[in-house]
Amino acid sequence: MNESVKKRILEEIKNHDTIIISRHKRPDGDAVGSSLGFAKLLRLNYPDKKILLDSIDHAEYLAFMNDETETPADNDYRDALVIVFDTATLDRVSNPRVNNGSLLIKIDHHIAHDDYGDVSWVEDFRSSTCEMIVDFIRTFPELTIDSDTASLLYTGLVTDSGRFKYTEVNPETMRNAAFLLEQGIDTERLFANLYIDSYDILRLKAEVIGKIRRTANGVAWLKITRAFREKRGISLEEASNTVNIMDSIKGSIIWMAFIETDDGEIRVRLRSRFVQIETLAAKYGGGGHLNAAGATVRDLKEQRALLKDADELVRLFKAEHPDVF
Ligand SMILES: [Mn+2]
């Protein structure tokens, strides 16, 4: 699929001596995995090229992935090819110099409302951007991969698919995962790095569970205020991840976490099963995927409006599907 755009991307890689790689702000496993994984892939296959990563943002909880933090110089951008991974819109790129190269390529799996780049390869049916990279590697047998690169890409596959649980996971996802496993990945260690909580975090989760509320038709939600984050010393990422605590409540087919940031804005993380929430997220200045998206609300009034809209979606769905899980 999309053979011509993949060929064009490989051609541009071959045509450039310097390649600078970027991703989205507040990077997750897929953003770090795709950017770092692709950088390593290029260094492995094109040892004479200068391959740089440029991101002003790093994720503490993904420290085990050994992210790269050096900042490229301004003149590295001269004649450089810039590739952005896992980022739907330009304002989400965690690199203010993203337009300073000679050519910009976008590789992403989010629904594209506002496309960018001289070359854009978007496959929104993919469970992760890392999976697109695996597909890229499998398309061109001339490319070799090592187990380090495979581990980084596998991290993106695992995290963005909710451990192979989300609806975007299809037979091809598993073939791509199998290809990575064949390179030799220490999955026991990887899963321990990703999903083992400290005792303190577990106690914190118990407290957060106490904050869960439900609307009349069953939208589950919780709010993490700035004061609570400061009191308990939790980062924005950790606060955002609390959305997953609500992912298995019977009848709550939409769930969302409201996270108050340092500047008072409220970020929303929305999740769903059976119903789609991407359009709802877009209405509130966000977007993402059909069952996982982000948005922003300015105040309590907008927070209530969003909950009301979500509640109506659930009401309509339940009216037609009485056996909702
Ligand atoms: Mn992603």
Side-chain angles (χ1 to χ4, degrees):
M1 198 177 293
N2 286 319
E3 298 300 311
S4 61
V5 67
K6 284 186 274 188
K7 272 188 194 139
R8 169 86 197 275
I9 291 170
L10 186 64
E11 231 170 78
E12 295 297 351
I13 288 167
K14 289 176 176 170
N15 286 341
H16 286 80
D17 295 327
T18 302
I19 298 160
I20 298 176
I21 289 171
S22 286
R23 62 192 183 211
H24 61 76
K25 295 171 189 164
R26 288 181 289 123
D28 55 10
D30 192 31
V32 176
S34 58
S35 55
L36 217 50
F38 205 77
K40 283 189 194 273
L41 178 82
L42 293 186
R43 284 176 197 143
L44 190 67
N45 288 277
Y46 306 101
D48 297 333
K49 292 185 190 296
K50 196 172 189 179
I51 313 296
L52 304 166
L53 188 89
D54 199 356
S55 171
I56 53 170
D57 226 354
H58 305 273
E60 241 172 80
Y61 76 105
L62 297 171
F64 71 93
M65 296 175 82
N66 296 317
D67 202 5
E68 294 173 11
T69 53
E70 301 101 279
T71 309
D74 277 338
N75 60 16
D76 284 325
Y77 275 87
R78 190 177 308 159
D79 303 322
L81 167 63
V82 179
I83 310 180
V84 178
F85 290 95
D86 200 38
T87 312
T89 52
L90 263 187
D91 62 301
R92 290 269 297 136
V93 181
S94 78
N95 173 5
R97 297 180 291 179
V98 65
N99 282 312
N100 291 9
S102 67
L103 193 86
L104 181 64
I105 294 180
K106 171 191 187 182
I107 299 179
D108 185 34
H109 72 128
H110 296 90
I111 295 165
H113 289 295
D114 169 23
D115 223 356
Y116 63 88
D118 305 299
V119 180
S120 166
W121 175 30
V122 174
E123 293 186 351
D124 60 23
F125 61 92
R126 295 278 189 191
S127 65
S128 63
T129 300
C130 282
E131 197 193 327
M132 293 174 67
I133 298 178
V134 182
D135 172 77
F136 187 81
I137 299 167
R138 292 175 69 209
T139 303
F140 304 109
E142 65 183 86
L143 295 174
T144 53
I145 178 173
D146 60 8
S147 66
D148 254 15
T149 311
S151 297
L152 287 165
L153 297 176
Y154 197 75
T155 306
L157 255 76
V158 167
T159 53
D160 253 32
S161 68
R163 297 179 234 186
F164 301 106
K165 189 173 67 179
Y166 299 154
T167 50
E168 288 85 2
V169 172
N170 56 35
E172 190 60 12
T173 311
M174 301 319 254
R175 281 188 278 272
N176 287 324
F179 173 84
L180 293 177
L181 288 172
E182 276 161 2
Q183 318 305 319
I185 299 174
D186 187 346
T187 51
E188 191 175 30
R189 199 180 162 75
L190 173 65
F191 277 79
N193 272 312
L194 287 173
Y195 300 115
I196 302 273
D197 280 338
S198 68
Y199 181 66
D200 286 347
I201 291 287
L202 194 69
R203 301 275 303 194
L204 178 68
K205 275 187 178 173
E207 205 176 326
V208 171
I209 286 171
K211 294 177 180 293
I212 300 173
R213 300 288 177 267
R214 294 218 300 172
T215 63
N217 289 291
V219 175
W221 64 279
L222 60 83
K223 187 167 185 177
I224 305 288
T225 61
R226 183 182 163 187
F228 181 77
R229 274 197 301 112
E230 283 170 357
K231 191 179 81 181
R232 301 302 308 265
I234 43 179
S235 66
L236 271 179
E237 268 133 12
E238 287 166 332
S240 300
N241 287 337
T242 60
V243 70
N244 299 320
I245 288 176
M246 300 175 281
D247 73 357
S248 41
I249 305 169
K250 192 169 185 184
S252 293
I253 53 175
I254 296 180
W255 58 101
M256 59 183 87
F258 295 92
I259 314 298
E260 194 185 350
T261 64
D262 291 341
D263 48 25
E265 185 183 83
I266 302 164
R267 273 185 207 149
V268 195
R269 276 195 140 188
L270 301 98
R271 298 288 183 272
S272 67
R273 55 181 172 269
F274 304 114
V275 277
Q276 298 176 352
I277 37 82
E278 204 270 339
T279 313
L280 177 64
K283 183 177 167 186
Y284 291 88
H289 308 283
L290 297 177
N291 298 104
T296 308
V297 292
R298 276 164 302 184
D299 48 31
L300 262 181
K301 203 177 149 207
E302 267 194 9
Q303 178 186 316
R304 285 196 200 102
L306 170 54
L307 279 168
K308 197 166 169 245
D309 285 346
D311 188 69
E312 179 61 11
L313 282 178
V314 174
R315 188 188 68 76
L316 287 171
F317 187 86
K318 286 186 174 176
E320 284 170 34
H321 308 80
D323 57 342
V324 186
F325 298 90

